[in-house]
Structures are given as C-alpha cells and as structure tokens.
C-alpha cells in the first residue's frame, strides 16, 4: 500500500500518457486531457505546500530571533498583502497587478542585471588561458560579446579573400559550433531522460517516492 | 528634468536603487528589498497557480460544469497535504507518483521525437547544390554533433581514434560554453542598460 500502490499508479498513468501519443482514438485523447487537468490541480496544491513551508520557516525565524529575523516580517507582510489584494480586489486590476508591475518586475530584473557585475568579476578571476581549450572558451566568449555590441560591426577583416566582420564571426560561432555542442548535449540529455522515464514507469527508479519505510 | 509623478514609478525606482546598493555591500535597504521580493513573488505565484489550478481546473469544471471526473484531481491535490504529517506522509506518494509518471509517459515519445530524432535529422545535410559557405558550416555542425556525442560515450575507454574524436568533442564543447557565456553576459548587460534607462529616463527624467 505504501510503496507498491504508488508504483502501480505510476505504471498505469505512465503507460496511458505514452499510448495516447501513438493512437488517434478520441477516448485516449480525452483521458490525456483529464490527466493534464489533474496534474494542474496537483501542481497548484504543491504551490500551497511550498508557500506554507516558506511561512513556517519565517515564523520559526521570528520566534527564535535568528539573525536578521526582523526582515522575516517584511516577507510575511509582502506575501499576505499580495494574496489579500488578489482576494479582495481580484487579479485583473487594482493592487495585485500594481504590486507585480511596480515591485516584483523591477526588482526581479534588477536582481538579474546585478549578475552582470558578479559574472564579470568571477570570470576575470576564473578565466585563464592556461590550456588550448581554456583559450578557446575565452576567445569564443570574447568574440560573442564583442559581436553583440555596436562597436563589433566596425571590426572586419579578410579571411581567404572573403571580407568578414566580427558580427558575422559571432553569429557563426553561435549558430554552428555552439549549436553543434548544444545539439550533442541535447541528444544526450534526451536519451538520458527517456531512459529515466522508462525506469520510472517500470518501477525500477523509485527515489522520487522518498524514504522507503 | 521631468521627474515622474506616478507613485508606482517612484516605488519601482526606490527598490531598484535598494537592490543596486548591494554592489557597495550587504545593507539593510538591500535586505528589506530582497525579503519583500520573496514575499511578493511567493504571493503572486501562489495566486496565479492556485487560480489556474483550483479555480479553473477544479472549481469551474466540477461545481459549474458538473464534470465530476475532475474531482479525482482535487483528491490527489488534497492527498499532497498528507506530507505535512509524519504518520500519513506516505499518502502523498500517490499524487507524487501520479505527477512524475504523467511526466515520464509524456517524455518518452515526445523527447525521442523532438530531442533525438529531430535534432539528428537537422544535423544531416545534402551537399549537392549547396553553396560552399553553407556546406562548410554544415560539415562543421555534423562533425561537432558527432564528436560531442562520442565525448559523452563512456562504454569504452577513450583511447586511440576514440580519444582523438573525443578531444574534438571537448573543443566544440569549450567553444559552445564560451559562446553561451558571452551571450548570457550580454543578456545581463542589456537588462542592466534597461534598468539604467528606467532610472534616468522614466523615473528621474534626466535623459530623453
């Protein structure tokens, strides 16, 4: 009941989802759509669980007066106000989209833009042209960066009698060698994920069930 | 100077500066903004997912459209909460198994199709009548994909010819990582430019 039941559920649902791909039968298509709707509901509930976990963490932090506990109030108030705004004024207009547009979006994009500084300083410390491969990585990165800015268009030269600009080199690096590496990784990942999925459906892979008690 | 009069722009501007203040060092303004972002984001996504799941996929079909088959989704969702209690934790394995298996069943045919067969097909090319420049790129792409795959082939020791090919694979991977790095950095830089544009144009009105 505790282990075998979920494995049987996994087998039945997994096979059903797989079979619908190969059959045009409307019954399977309907079943497929129902399973997708169930999945959405389960996902929604996991979000409630996650939020509950976040609330519990911050309440514990406040109760124990852990380091920076005062800021936990900010998180809890932010969460309550956002959910409350959606509950009172609905989501289409009012404070809920205002909070999203004027607090979440600008702060989130500023957070991501901060990474420009940290990536630059980290790469300055980490990138050293010690080996041929490290040099290739460095040169490819530099060429792509230069090719993405306006000044890159002014750099051009002749290779085997063909006039070529830095922007073209940058685009070629992205579209050919980079794509080759990405495609190789993607095929490998695809094979790995397919193998893992088969193991899950057949009940060989059970780690997602957690502890085996 | 044409400073913004919209309070929303002021709030966004002040929090943008608060986040940027981390560049100097960790400080109370940054901590405040960071914690607020966590709270507001959690609230926003909770509402979005709860609304799209519980309301659109459960309440509307079951209580308004009388499509009772979707009750099962609600039961599975409720079973997830058994995770909160140690004694009944195992009950939550059912919705987890359902979710993971639904993903797995979907992945097998679609990933084989999209991530393996289509990728392999796009790597193949017909050299007849191809311009020299495109032919060269297609050859490099083909060699790159094959060499990268061989680099990840661990069933045989990388000796002799296999070692040479896997070295070519590493070369492609390094160029790929470098190009991806450069592209990502430029993405962050354009976000940074966007934030500065917001501060100096939309908020402070210093730049037109």
């Amino acid at each position: 009941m505790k282990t075998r039941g979920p494995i049987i559920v996994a087998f039945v649902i997994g096979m059903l989802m797989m079979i619908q791909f190969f059959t045009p039968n409307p019954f399977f298509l309907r079943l497929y759509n129902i399973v997708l709707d169930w999945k959405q509901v389960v996902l929604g509930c996991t979000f409630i669980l996650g939020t509950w976990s976040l609330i519990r963490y911050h309440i514990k932090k406040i109760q124990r007066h852990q380091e920076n506990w005062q800021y936990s109030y900010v998180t809890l108030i932010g969460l309550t106000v956002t959910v409350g705004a959606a509950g009172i004024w609905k989501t289409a207009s009012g404070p809920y989209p205002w909070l999203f547009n004027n607090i979440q979006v600008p702060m989130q994009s500023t957070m991501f833009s901060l990474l420009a500084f940290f990536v630059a300083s980290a790469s300055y410390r980490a990138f050293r042209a010690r080996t041929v491969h490290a040099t290739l990585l460095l040169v490819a990165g530099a060429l792509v960066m230069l090719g993405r800015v306006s000044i890159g268009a002014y750099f051009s030269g002749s290779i085997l009698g063909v006039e070529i600009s830095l922007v073209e080199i940058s685009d070629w690096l992205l579209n050919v060698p980079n794509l080759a590496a990405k495609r190789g990784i993607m095929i490998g990942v695809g094979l790995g994920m397919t193998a893992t999925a088969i193991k899950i459906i057949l009940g060989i892979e059970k780690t997602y069930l957690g502890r085996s008690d | 100077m044409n400073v913004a009069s919209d309070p929303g722009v002021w709030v966004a501007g002040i929090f943008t500066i608060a986040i940027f203040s981390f560049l100097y060092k960790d400080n109370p303004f940054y901590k405040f903004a960071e914690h607020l972002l966590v709270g507001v984001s959690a609230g926003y996504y909770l509402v979005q997912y709860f609304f799209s799941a519980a309301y659109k996929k459960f309440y509307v079909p079951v209580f308004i459209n009388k499509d009772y088959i979707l009750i099962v989704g609600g039961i599975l969702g409720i079973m997830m909460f058994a995770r909160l209690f140690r004694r009944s934790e195992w009950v939550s394995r059912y919705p987890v198994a359902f979710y993971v298996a639904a993903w797995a069943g979907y992945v097998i045919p679609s990933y084989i199709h999209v991530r393996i067969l289509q990728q392999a097909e796009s790597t193949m090319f017909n050299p007849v009548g191809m311009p020299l420049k495109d032919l060269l790129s297609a050859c490099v792409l083909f060699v790159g994909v094959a060499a990268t795959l061989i680099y990840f082939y661990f069933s045989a020791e990388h000796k002799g010819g296999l070692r040479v090919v896997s070295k070519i694979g590493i070369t492609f991977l390094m160029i790929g990582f470098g190009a991806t790095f450069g592209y990502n950095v430029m993405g962050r830089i354009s976000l940074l430019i966007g934030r500065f544009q917001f501060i100096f144009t939309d908020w402070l009105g210093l730049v037109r």
Side-chain angles (χ1 to χ4, degrees), chain A residues 20-96:
Chain A
Q20 66 75 32
F21 194 84
F22 300 101
T23 171
N25 192 319
F27 169 75
F28 280 100
L29 187 67
R30 163 91 175 121
L31 223 53
Y32 171 73
N33 286 324
I34 287 169
V35 169
L36 286 187
D37 285 350
W38 291 350
K39 252 183 91 179
Q40 284 277 90
V41 179
V42 173
L43 184 70
C45 293
T46 59
F47 262 86
I48 300 171
L49 267 180
T51 311
W52 170 244
S53 171
L54 180 80
I55 293 168
R56 213 170 47 174
Y57 168 78
H58 282 287
I59 288 174
K60 269 186 191 165
K61 207 173 158 182
I62 292 167
Q63 282 171 341
R64 291 174 188 169
H65 282 221
Q66 286 171 349
E67 200 186 350
N68 295 322
W69 61 274
Q70 299 90 338
Y71 297 103
S72 291
Y73 279 117
V74 179
T75 302
L76 292 175
I77 291 168
L79 174 69
T80 315
V81 167
T82 312
V83 176
I88 298 166
W89 291 281
K90 305 296 169 202
T91 54
S93 60
Y96 178 74

Coordinates of all heavy atoms in Angstrom, one line a residue, chain A residues 20-96:
Chain A
Q20 N -1.3 7.4 -25.6 CA -2.1 8.4 -26.3 C -1.3 9.1 -27.4 O -1.9 9.6 -28.4 CB -2.6 9.4 -25.3 CG -1.6 10.3 -24.6 CD -1.0 11.4 -25.5 OE1 -1.6 11.9 -26.3 NE2 0.3 11.7 -25.2
F21 N 0.0 9.0 -27.3 CA 0.9 9.6 -28.4 C 0.8 8.9 -29.7 O 0.9 9.4 -30.8 CB 2.3 9.6 -27.9 CG 3.2 10.5 -28.7 CD1 3.3 11.9 -28.4 CD2 4.0 10.0 -29.7 CE1 4.2 12.7 -29.2 CE2 4.8 10.8 -30.5 CZ 4.9 12.1 -30.2
F22 N 0.5 7.6 -29.6 CA 0.5 6.7 -30.8 C -0.9 6.4 -31.3 O -1.0 5.8 -32.4 CB 1.2 5.4 -30.5 CG 2.6 5.6 -30.0 CD1 3.0 5.5 -28.7 CD2 3.6 5.9 -30.9 CE1 4.3 5.7 -28.3 CE2 5.0 6.1 -30.5 CZ 5.3 6.0 -29.2
T23 N -1.9 6.8 -30.6 CA -3.3 6.4 -31.1 C -4.1 7.7 -31.3 O -4.1 8.6 -30.5 CB -4.0 5.5 -30.1 OG1 -5.3 5.3 -30.5 CG2 -3.9 5.9 -28.7
P24 N -4.9 7.7 -32.4 CA -5.8 8.8 -32.7 C -7.1 8.7 -32.0 O -8.0 9.5 -32.1 CB -5.9 8.8 -34.2 CG -5.7 7.4 -34.6 CD -4.9 6.7 -33.6
N25 N -7.3 7.6 -31.2 CA -8.5 7.3 -30.5 C -9.0 8.4 -29.6 O -8.2 8.9 -28.7 CB -8.4 6.0 -29.7 CG -9.7 5.5 -29.2 OD1 -10.5 6.2 -28.8 ND2 -9.8 4.1 -29.3
P26 N -10.2 9.0 -29.8 CA -10.6 10.2 -29.0 C -10.7 9.9 -27.5 O -10.6 10.8 -26.7 CB -12.0 10.5 -29.6 CG -12.4 9.4 -30.4 CD -11.2 8.6 -30.8
F27 N -11.0 8.6 -27.2 CA -11.0 8.2 -25.8 C -9.7 8.5 -25.1 O -9.7 9.1 -24.0 CB -11.4 6.7 -25.6 CG -11.2 6.2 -24.2 CD1 -12.2 6.5 -23.3 CD2 -10.2 5.4 -23.9 CE1 -12.1 6.0 -22.0 CE2 -10.0 4.9 -22.6 CZ -11.0 5.2 -21.6
F28 N -8.6 8.1 -25.7 CA -7.3 8.3 -25.1 C -7.0 9.8 -25.1 O -6.3 10.3 -24.1 CB -6.2 7.6 -25.9 CG -6.2 6.1 -25.5 CD1 -6.8 5.1 -26.3 CD2 -5.6 5.7 -24.3 CE1 -6.7 3.8 -25.9 CE2 -5.5 4.4 -23.9 CZ -6.1 3.4 -24.7
L29 N -7.4 10.5 -26.1 CA -7.2 12.0 -26.1 C -7.9 12.7 -25.0 O -7.3 13.5 -24.3 CB -7.6 12.6 -27.5 CG -7.3 14.1 -27.7 CD1 -5.8 14.2 -27.8 CD2 -8.0 14.6 -28.9
R30 N -9.1 12.2 -24.7 CA -9.9 12.8 -23.6 C -9.2 12.4 -22.3 O -9.1 13.3 -21.4 CB -11.4 12.2 -23.6 CG -12.2 12.3 -22.4 CD -13.0 13.6 -22.3 NE -13.9 13.6 -21.2 CZ -13.8 14.6 -20.3 NH1 -13.0 15.6 -20.4 NH2 -14.6 14.6 -19.2
L31 N -8.8 11.2 -22.1 CA -8.1 10.7 -20.9 C -6.8 11.5 -20.7 O -6.5 12.0 -19.6 CB -7.8 9.3 -21.1 CG -8.0 8.4 -19.8 CD1 -9.5 8.5 -19.3 CD2 -7.8 6.9 -20.2
Y32 N -6.1 11.8 -21.8 CA -4.9 12.6 -21.8 C -5.2 14.0 -21.2 O -4.4 14.5 -20.3 CB -4.3 12.6 -23.2 CG -3.1 13.5 -23.3 CD1 -1.9 13.2 -22.8 CD2 -3.2 14.7 -24.1 CE1 -0.8 14.1 -23.0 CE2 -2.2 15.6 -24.2 CZ -0.9 15.2 -23.7 OH 0.1 16.1 -23.9
N33 N -6.2 14.6 -21.7 CA -6.5 16.0 -21.3 C -7.0 16.0 -19.8 O -6.7 16.9 -19.1 CB -7.6 16.6 -22.2 CG -7.1 16.9 -23.5 OD1 -5.9 17.4 -23.6 ND2 -7.8 16.7 -24.6
I34 N -7.7 14.9 -19.4 CA -8.1 14.8 -18.0 C -6.9 14.7 -17.1 O -6.8 15.4 -16.1 CB -9.1 13.6 -17.8 CG1 -10.4 13.9 -18.4 CG2 -9.2 13.3 -16.3 CD1 -11.3 12.7 -18.5
V35 N -5.9 13.9 -17.5 CA -4.7 13.7 -16.7 C -4.0 15.0 -16.6 O -3.5 15.4 -15.5 CB -3.8 12.6 -17.3 CG1 -2.5 12.6 -16.6 CG2 -4.5 11.2 -17.1
L36 N -3.9 15.8 -17.7 CA -3.2 17.1 -17.7 C -3.9 18.0 -16.7 O -3.3 18.8 -16.0 CB -3.2 17.7 -19.1 CG -2.2 17.1 -20.1 CD1 -2.2 17.9 -21.4 CD2 -0.8 17.0 -19.5
D37 N -5.3 18.0 -16.7 CA -6.0 18.8 -15.7 C -5.7 18.4 -14.3 O -5.5 19.3 -13.4 CB -7.5 18.8 -16.0 CG -7.9 19.6 -17.3 OD1 -7.0 20.3 -17.8 OD2 -9.0 19.4 -17.7
W38 N -5.7 17.1 -14.0 CA -5.4 16.6 -12.7 C -4.0 17.1 -12.3 O -3.8 17.5 -11.1 CB -5.4 15.1 -12.6 CG -6.8 14.5 -12.8 CD1 -8.0 15.2 -12.8 CD2 -7.1 13.1 -13.0 NE1 -9.0 14.3 -12.9 CE2 -8.5 13.0 -13.1 CE3 -6.3 12.0 -13.1 CZ2 -9.1 11.8 -13.2 CZ3 -6.9 10.7 -13.2 CH2 -8.3 10.7 -13.3
K39 N -3.1 17.0 -13.2 CA -1.7 17.5 -13.0 C -1.7 18.9 -12.5 O -0.9 19.3 -11.6 CB -0.9 17.3 -14.3 CG 0.1 16.2 -14.2 CD 0.9 16.1 -15.5 CE 2.2 17.0 -15.3 NZ 3.0 16.9 -16.5
Q40 N -2.5 19.8 -13.2 CA -2.5 21.2 -12.9 C -3.0 21.4 -11.4 O -2.4 22.2 -10.7 CB -3.5 21.9 -13.8 CG -3.0 22.1 -15.2 CD -2.1 23.4 -15.2 OE1 -0.9 23.3 -15.0 NE2 -2.7 24.5 -15.5
V41 N -4.0 20.6 -11.0 CA -4.5 20.8 -9.7 C -3.5 20.3 -8.7 O -3.3 21.0 -7.6 CB -5.9 19.9 -9.5 CG1 -6.4 20.1 -8.1 CG2 -6.9 20.4 -10.5
V42 N -2.8 19.2 -8.9 CA -1.8 18.7 -8.0 C -0.7 19.8 -7.9 O -0.2 20.1 -6.8 CB -1.2 17.4 -8.5 CG1 0.0 17.0 -7.6 CG2 -2.2 16.3 -8.4
L43 N -0.3 20.4 -9.1 CA 0.7 21.4 -9.1 C 0.3 22.6 -8.2 O 1.1 23.2 -7.5 CB 1.0 21.8 -10.5 CG 2.2 22.9 -10.7 CD1 3.5 22.2 -10.4 CD2 2.2 23.4 -12.1
G44 N -0.9 23.0 -8.4 CA -1.5 24.1 -7.6 C -1.3 23.8 -6.1 O -0.9 24.7 -5.3
C45 N -1.6 22.6 -5.7 CA -1.5 22.2 -4.3 C -0.1 22.2 -3.8 O 0.2 22.5 -2.7 CB -2.2 20.9 -4.0 SG -4.0 20.9 -4.3
T46 N 0.8 21.8 -4.7 CA 2.2 21.8 -4.3 C 2.7 23.3 -4.0 O 3.6 23.5 -3.2 CB 3.2 21.2 -5.3 OG1 3.0 21.9 -6.5 CG2 2.9 19.7 -5.5
F47 N 2.1 24.2 -4.7 CA 2.4 25.6 -4.5 C 2.0 26.1 -3.1 O 2.6 26.8 -2.4 CB 1.8 26.5 -5.6 CG 2.9 26.9 -6.6 CD1 3.1 26.0 -7.7 CD2 3.6 28.0 -6.5 CE1 4.0 26.3 -8.7 CE2 4.6 28.3 -7.5 CZ 4.8 27.5 -8.5
I48 N 0.8 25.6 -2.7 CA 0.3 25.9 -1.4 C 1.2 25.3 -0.3 O 1.6 26.0 0.6 CB -1.2 25.4 -1.2 CG1 -2.1 26.0 -2.2 CG2 -1.6 25.7 0.2 CD1 -3.5 25.4 -2.2
L49 N 1.7 24.1 -0.6 CA 2.6 23.4 0.4 C 3.9 24.2 0.4 O 4.4 24.4 1.5 CB 2.9 22.0 -0.2 CG 2.1 20.9 0.4 CD1 2.6 19.6 -0.3 CD2 2.2 20.8 1.9
G50 N 4.4 24.7 -0.7 CA 5.7 25.4 -0.7 C 5.5 26.7 0.0 O 6.4 27.1 0.8
T51 N 4.4 27.4 -0.2 CA 4.2 28.7 0.5 C 4.0 28.5 2.0 O 4.6 29.2 2.8 CB 2.9 29.4 -0.1 OG1 2.9 29.3 -1.5 CG2 2.8 30.8 0.4
W52 N 3.4 27.4 2.4 CA 3.2 27.0 3.8 C 4.6 26.8 4.4 O 4.9 27.3 5.5 CB 2.3 25.8 4.0 CG 2.3 25.3 5.4 CD1 2.8 24.1 5.8 CD2 1.9 25.9 6.5 NE1 2.7 23.9 7.1 CE2 2.1 25.1 7.6 CE3 1.4 27.2 6.8 CZ2 1.8 25.4 8.9 CZ3 1.0 27.6 8.1 CH2 1.3 26.7 9.1
S53 N 5.5 26.1 3.7 CA 6.8 25.9 4.1 C 7.6 27.2 4.3 O 8.3 27.4 5.3 CB 7.5 25.0 3.1 OG 8.8 24.9 3.4
L54 N 7.4 28.1 3.4 CA 8.1 29.4 3.5 C 7.5 30.2 4.7 O 8.3 30.8 5.5 CB 7.8 30.3 2.2 CG 8.4 31.7 2.1 CD1 9.8 31.6 1.7 CD2 7.6 32.5 1.2
I55 N 6.2 30.2 4.9 CA 5.6 30.9 6.1 C 6.2 30.3 7.4 O 6.6 31.0 8.3 CB 4.1 30.8 6.1 CG1 3.5 31.6 4.9 CG2 3.4 31.3 7.4 CD1 2.1 31.3 4.6
R56 N 6.2 28.9 7.4 CA 6.7 28.2 8.7 C 8.1 28.6 9.0 O 8.5 28.9 10.1 CB 6.5 26.7 8.5 CG 6.2 26.0 9.8 CD 5.8 24.6 9.5 NE 6.7 23.9 8.6 CZ 6.7 22.6 8.4 NH1 5.7 21.9 8.9 NH2 7.5 22.1 7.5
Y57 N 8.9 28.7 7.9 CA 10.4 29.0 8.1 C 10.5 30.4 8.7 O 11.3 30.5 9.6 CB 11.0 28.9 6.7 CG 12.4 29.5 6.7 CD1 13.5 28.8 7.2 CD2 12.7 30.8 6.2 CE1 14.8 29.3 7.2 CE2 13.9 31.3 6.2 CZ 15.0 30.6 6.7 OH 16.2 31.1 6.7
H58 N 9.8 31.3 8.2 CA 9.9 32.7 8.6 C 9.3 32.9 10.0 O 9.9 33.6 10.9 CB 9.3 33.7 7.6 CG 10.2 33.9 6.5 ND1 11.4 34.7 6.6 CD2 10.2 33.5 5.2 CE1 12.0 34.7 5.4 NE2 11.3 33.9 4.6
I59 N 8.2 32.2 10.3 CA 7.7 32.3 11.7 C 8.7 31.7 12.7 O 8.9 32.3 13.8 CB 6.3 31.5 11.8 CG1 5.2 32.3 11.0 CG2 5.9 31.3 13.2 CD1 3.9 31.7 10.9
K60 N 9.3 30.6 12.4 CA 10.3 30.0 13.2 C 11.4 30.9 13.5 O 12.0 31.1 14.6 CB 10.8 28.7 12.6 CG 10.0 27.4 13.1 CD 10.7 26.2 12.6 CE 9.8 25.0 12.8 NZ 10.2 23.9 12.0
K61 N 11.8 31.6 12.4 CA 13.0 32.5 12.4 C 12.6 33.7 13.4 O 13.5 34.1 14.2 CB 13.2 33.1 11.0 CG 14.7 33.5 10.8 CD 14.9 33.8 9.3 CE 16.0 34.7 9.2 NZ 16.3 35.1 7.8
I62 N 11.4 34.2 13.3 CA 11.0 35.3 14.2 C 10.9 34.8 15.6 O 11.4 35.4 16.6 CB 9.6 35.8 13.8 CG1 9.7 36.5 12.4 CG2 9.0 36.8 14.8 CD1 8.4 36.8 11.7
Q63 N 10.3 33.6 15.8 CA 10.2 33.0 17.2 C 11.5 32.8 17.9 O 11.7 33.1 19.1 CB 9.4 31.7 17.2 CG 7.9 31.9 17.0 CD 7.2 30.6 16.8 OE1 7.9 29.6 16.4 NE2 5.9 30.6 17.0
R64 N 12.5 32.4 17.1 CA 13.8 32.0 17.7 C 14.8 33.2 17.6 O 16.0 33.1 18.0 CB 14.5 30.9 16.9 CG 13.7 29.6 17.2 CD 14.3 28.5 16.3 NE 13.4 27.3 16.4 CZ 13.5 26.2 15.6 NH1 14.4 26.2 14.7 NH2 12.7 25.2 15.8
H65 N 14.3 34.4 17.1 CA 15.2 35.6 17.0 C 16.5 35.3 16.3 O 17.5 35.7 16.7 CB 15.4 36.2 18.3 CG 14.2 37.0 18.8 ND1 14.2 38.2 19.4 CD2 12.9 36.8 18.7 CE1 13.0 38.7 19.7 NE2 12.2 37.8 19.2
Q66 N 16.4 34.5 15.2 CA 17.6 34.2 14.5 C 18.1 35.4 13.7 O 17.4 36.4 13.7 CB 17.3 33.1 13.4 CG 17.1 31.7 14.1 CD 16.6 30.7 13.1 OE1 16.2 31.0 12.0 NE2 16.6 29.4 13.5
E67 N 19.3 35.3 13.2 CA 19.9 36.5 12.5 C 19.0 37.1 11.5 O 18.5 36.4 10.6 CB 21.3 36.1 11.9 CG 22.2 37.2 11.7 CD 23.4 36.8 10.9 OE1 23.7 35.6 10.7 OE2 24.2 37.7 10.5
N68 N 18.9 38.4 11.5 CA 18.0 39.1 10.5 C 16.6 38.7 10.6 O 15.8 38.8 9.6 CB 18.5 39.0 9.1 CG 19.9 39.6 8.9 OD1 20.2 40.6 9.4 ND2 20.7 38.9 8.1
W69 N 16.1 38.4 11.8 CA 14.7 37.9 11.9 C 13.7 39.0 11.6 O 12.6 38.7 11.2 CB 14.5 37.4 13.3 CG 14.7 38.4 14.4 CD1 15.9 38.7 15.0 CD2 13.7 39.2 15.0 NE1 15.7 39.6 16.0 CE2 14.4 40.0 16.0 CE3 12.4 39.4 14.9 CZ2 13.8 41.0 16.8 CZ3 11.7 40.4 15.6 CH2 12.4 41.1 16.6
Q70 N 14.1 40.3 11.8 CA 13.2 41.4 11.6 C 12.7 41.4 10.1 O 11.5 41.8 9.9 CB 13.9 42.7 11.9 CG 14.3 42.9 13.3 CD 15.8 42.4 13.5 OE1 16.3 41.6 12.7 NE2 16.4 42.9 14.6
Y71 N 13.6 41.0 9.2 CA 13.2 41.1 7.8 C 12.2 40.0 7.4 O 11.5 40.1 6.4 CB 14.4 40.9 6.9 CG 15.4 42.1 7.1 CD1 16.6 41.9 7.9 CD2 15.1 43.3 6.6 CE1 17.4 42.9 8.1 CE2 16.0 44.4 6.8 CZ 17.2 44.2 7.5 OH 18.0 45.2 7.7
S72 N 12.0 39.0 8.3 CA 11.0 37.9 8.0 C 9.6 38.5 8.0 O 8.7 38.1 7.3 CB 11.1 36.8 9.1 OG 12.3 36.1 8.8
Y73 N 9.5 39.6 8.9 CA 8.2 40.3 8.9 C 7.9 40.9 7.5 O 6.7 40.8 7.0 CB 8.2 41.4 9.9 CG 7.9 40.9 11.3 CD1 8.9 41.1 12.3 CD2 6.7 40.4 11.7 CE1 8.7 40.7 13.6 CE2 6.5 39.9 13.0 CZ 7.5 40.1 14.0 OH 7.3 39.7 15.2
V74 N 8.9 41.4 6.8 CA 8.7 42.0 5.5 C 8.2 41.0 4.5 O 7.3 41.2 3.8 CB 10.1 42.6 5.0 CG1 9.9 43.3 3.6 CG2 10.6 43.7 6.0
T75 N 8.9 39.8 4.5 CA 8.4 38.7 3.6 C 7.0 38.3 3.9 O 6.2 38.2 3.0 CB 9.4 37.5 3.8 OG1 10.7 37.9 3.6 CG2 9.0 36.3 2.9
L76 N 6.7 38.1 5.2 CA 5.3 37.7 5.6 C 4.3 38.7 5.2 O 3.2 38.4 4.7 CB 5.3 37.3 7.1 CG 6.1 36.1 7.5 CD1 6.0 35.9 9.0 CD2 5.5 34.8 6.8
I77 N 4.6 40.0 5.4 CA 3.7 41.1 5.1 C 3.5 41.2 3.6 O 2.4 41.3 3.1 CB 4.1 42.4 5.7 CG1 4.0 42.4 7.3 CG2 3.3 43.6 5.2 CD1 4.7 43.5 8.0
G78 N 4.6 41.1 2.9 CA 4.6 41.1 1.4 C 3.7 40.0 0.8 O 2.8 40.2 -0.1
L79 N 3.9 38.8 1.4 CA 3.1 37.7 0.9 C 1.6 37.9 1.3 O 0.7 37.7 0.4 CB 3.6 36.4 1.7 CG 2.8 35.1 1.5 CD1 3.0 34.6 0.1 CD2 3.4 34.0 2.4
T80 N 1.3 38.3 2.5 CA -0.1 38.5 2.9 C -0.8 39.5 2.1 O -1.9 39.4 1.7 CB -0.1 38.8 4.4 OG1 0.7 38.0 5.1 CG2 -1.5 38.7 5.0
V81 N -0.1 40.7 1.9 CA -0.7 41.8 1.2 C -1.0 41.4 -0.3 O -2.1 41.7 -0.8 CB 0.3 43.0 1.2 CG1 -0.2 44.1 0.2 CG2 0.3 43.6 2.6
T82 N -0.1 40.6 -0.9 CA -0.3 40.2 -2.3 C -1.5 39.3 -2.4 O -2.3 39.5 -3.3 CB 1.0 39.6 -2.9 OG1 2.1 40.4 -2.6 CG2 0.9 39.3 -4.4
V83 N -1.5 38.3 -1.6 CA -2.6 37.3 -1.6 C -3.9 38.0 -1.2 O -4.9 37.8 -1.9 CB -2.3 36.1 -0.7 CG1 -3.5 35.1 -0.6 CG2 -1.1 35.4 -1.1
G84 N -3.8 38.9 -0.2 CA -5.0 39.6 0.2 C -5.6 40.5 -0.9 O -6.8 40.6 -1.1
A85 N -4.7 41.2 -1.6 CA -5.1 42.1 -2.7 C -5.8 41.3 -3.7 O -6.8 41.8 -4.3 CB -3.8 42.8 -3.2
A86 N -5.3 40.1 -4.0 CA -5.9 39.3 -5.1 C -7.3 38.8 -4.6 O -8.2 38.7 -5.4 CB -5.0 38.1 -5.4
G87 N -7.4 38.5 -3.3 CA -8.6 38.0 -2.7 C -9.7 39.1 -2.7 O -10.9 38.9 -3.0
I88 N -9.3 40.4 -2.3 CA -10.3 41.4 -2.1 C -10.6 42.1 -3.5 O -11.8 42.3 -3.8 CB -9.8 42.5 -1.1 CG1 -9.6 41.8 0.3 CG2 -10.7 43.7 -1.0 CD1 -8.8 42.6 1.3
W89 N -9.6 42.5 -4.2 CA -9.8 43.3 -5.5 C -9.7 42.5 -6.7 O -9.7 43.0 -7.8 CB -8.9 44.5 -5.5 CG -9.1 45.6 -4.5 CD1 -10.1 46.5 -4.5 CD2 -8.4 45.8 -3.3 NE1 -10.0 47.3 -3.4 CE2 -9.0 46.9 -2.6 CE3 -7.3 45.1 -2.6 CZ2 -8.6 47.3 -1.4 CZ3 -6.9 45.6 -1.4 CH2 -7.5 46.7 -0.8
K90 N -9.6 41.2 -6.6 CA -9.4 40.3 -7.8 C -8.0 40.6 -8.5 O -7.3 41.5 -8.1 CB -10.6 40.3 -8.7 CG -11.9 40.1 -8.1 CD -12.0 38.6 -7.5 CE -13.2 38.5 -6.6 NZ -13.1 37.4 -5.7
T91 N -7.8 39.8 -9.5 CA -6.4 39.8 -10.1 C -6.3 40.7 -11.3 O -5.2 41.1 -11.7 CB -6.0 38.4 -10.5 OG1 -7.0 37.8 -11.3 CG2 -5.8 37.5 -9.3
A92 N -7.4 41.0 -12.0 CA -7.3 41.8 -13.2 C -6.9 43.2 -13.1 O -6.1 43.7 -13.9 CB -8.7 41.7 -14.0
S93 N -7.4 43.9 -12.0 CA -7.0 45.3 -11.8 C -6.8 45.5 -10.3 O -7.2 44.6 -9.5 CB -8.0 46.2 -12.4 OG -9.2 45.9 -11.8
G94 N -6.4 46.7 -9.9 CA -6.2 47.0 -8.5 C -4.8 46.8 -8.0 O -3.9 46.7 -8.8
P95 N -4.7 46.6 -6.7 CA -3.3 46.5 -6.1 C -2.5 45.2 -6.5 O -1.3 45.3 -6.6 CB -3.6 46.4 -4.6 CG -5.0 46.8 -4.4 CD -5.7 46.5 -5.7
Y96 N -3.2 44.2 -6.9 CA -2.5 42.9 -7.2 C -1.6 43.1 -8.5 O -0.3 42.9 -8.4 CB -3.4 41.8 -7.4 CG -2.8 40.5 -7.8 CD1 -2.1 39.7 -6.9 CD2 -2.9 40.0 -9.1 CE1 -1.5 38.5 -7.2 CE2 -2.4 38.8 -9.5 CZ -1.7 38.0 -8.5 OH -1.1 36.8 -8.9

